[in-house]
Amino acid sequence: MELNFYEVIKIFAIFILGVSIGSFLNVVIYRMPRDLSIVYPPSSCPVCKNRIKWYDNIPIISYLILKGKCRFCKTSIPVRYPLVELMTGFAGVFSYLKFGFSVDFVFAFYFLCSMIALSFIDFDFKIIPDEINYLGLLSGFVYAGMKSYQSSSFEPLINAIIGALVGSGFLFLIAYLYLKFRNIEGLGMGDVKLLAFIGSYTGWFGALFTIFFGSILGLLASLYFMKKEKDNNLMKLEIPFGPFLALAGSVYLFFGEKIYNFYFGGF
């Protein structure tokens, strides 16, 4: 894509849109696992309960102006807030650079936003809300259905259905066997549903790649935390798997064609 002046303006506008959506994702990340409404009441400080004014709620900029503290009680604001906004801004830009202004852009950006939200929730609470997984799965089928309609072929929709079944089924089998032979829940059903979500976007091969690559990322993270905590018992570590699946699925969404061709000899 040639980056002329107008393209730079478009990319900047998409980035601003992304950080704004990232501000909303922060609300989702904080409220959804606590069973709070993501719509009402308006944003307020969780410590002093003062309502946040609009000029203190400008993505990234307000955090810098306030030096990462609440205007009223001076409680530190987690750096996660501007981080989520930045990540979502770049997610929008990457989606545009990959797909341009298209239906693919809309669904790819939605996919990445969902992955960001569920990853931070899983890190904090060790859960992945069903609302995110079910809406994601539905969006994957809608996306595949639109591609099937455009191509006059049922192949995209069939691949999405098989991807959801293969991804969730494979992970469910692993979780079942782990529980049966060790009497320990090694994987939550949130991870299983997440694979159905990812598989609906990436197809059967993308779902398998996500499990494989996500497992490698999870193992590397486990070894890091094991060394950091000076605990040699890998089985005792409780590290959420969802963020690594989310990252692996996002990699495949953007580079899936090259990954598929590499495995099947057409790279």
Side-chain angles (χ1 to χ4, degrees):
M1 179 180 294
E2 184 179 349
L3 292 181
N4 54 40
F5 175 76
Y6 295 104
E7 281 298 325
V8 171
I9 294 298
K10 287 180 184 178
I11 290 172
F12 181 73
I14 290 170
F15 179 77
I16 296 301
L17 173 65
V19 297
S20 300
I21 293 175
S23 182
F24 173 71
L25 290 185
N26 277 320
V27 175
V28 172
I29 292 166
Y30 181 84
R31 295 188 183 185
M32 186 172 283
R34 293 177 171 86
D35 292 324
L36 301 173
S37 170
I38 61 174
V39 179
Y40 184 84
S43 298
S44 58
C45 175
V47 178
C48 67
K49 309 302 181 184
N50 276 294
R51 186 165 295 180
I52 299 174
K53 306 296 184 182
W54 68 267
Y55 48 78
D56 287 338
N57 210 19
I58 301 172
I60 302 174
I61 295 175
S62 292
Y63 183 89
L64 296 175
I65 292 175
L66 294 171
K67 298 180 180 179
K69 294 181 180 180
C70 172
R71 179 182 294 276
F72 303 100
C73 66
K74 306 305 179 184
T75 298
S76 294
I77 302 171
V79 72
R80 185 196 73 200
Y81 283 82
L83 177 61
V84 168
E85 292 163 354
L86 275 173
M87 290 175 65
T88 312
F90 283 118
V93 171
F94 293 153
S95 298
Y96 173 70
L97 292 176
K98 174 68 175 180
F99 299 107
F101 277 128
S102 63
V103 171
D104 300 290
F105 161 77
V106 173
F107 281 96
F109 187 34
Y110 175 82
F111 180 92
L112 293 182
C113 288
S114 299
M115 295 300 120
I116 291 170
L118 66 85
S119 293
F120 280 93
I121 291 173
D122 202 14
F123 265 126
D124 288 344
F125 294 90
K126 306 295 189 298
I127 61 170
I128 301 176
D130 285 341
E131 295 90 336
I132 296 178
N133 279 331
Y134 290 151
L135 284 174
L137 178 62
L138 177 61
S139 72
F141 288 150
V142 170
Y143 182 33
M146 294 177 68
K147 289 194 291 186
S148 289
Y149 178 78
Q150 291 173 348
S151 63
S152 300
S153 169
F154 285 108
E155 184 177 349
L157 183 57
I158 292 173
N159 194 29
I161 295 172
I162 294 174
L165 292 174
V166 168
S168 58
F170 191 88
L171 210 61
F172 177 80
L173 179 61
I174 294 175
Y176 172 78
L177 293 175
Y178 196 91
L179 180 62
K180 182 177 179 63
F181 290 104
R182 291 188 57 84
N183 292 319
I184 300 174
E185 186 178 285
L187 290 171
M189 287 300 102
D191 296 324
V192 174
K193 297 169 188 175
L194 172 57
L195 249 299
F197 173 7
I198 294 174
S200 70
Y201 272 80
T202 64
W204 68 270
F205 183 76
L208 293 179
F209 171 84
T210 298
I211 295 172
F212 172 73
F213 189 47
S215 298
I216 292 177
L217 294 175
L219 177 61
L220 292 175
S222 298
L223 293 174
Y224 168 78
F225 285 111
M226 184 176 68
K227 182 178 180 180
K228 184 178 180 180
E229 299 296 329
K230 298 180 180 180
D231 188 344
N232 293 323
N233 191 344
L234 189 61
M235 296 299 179
K236 288 171 60 178
L237 286 175
E238 292 186 10
I239 297 178
F241 194 27
F244 305 107
L245 294 176
L247 178 56
S250 299
V251 168
Y252 191 85
L253 185 70
F254 280 79
F255 304 103
E257 184 176 347
K258 291 184 178 181
I259 295 170
Y260 183 90
N261 289 335
F262 175 79
Y263 275 94
F264 290 96
F267 190 75

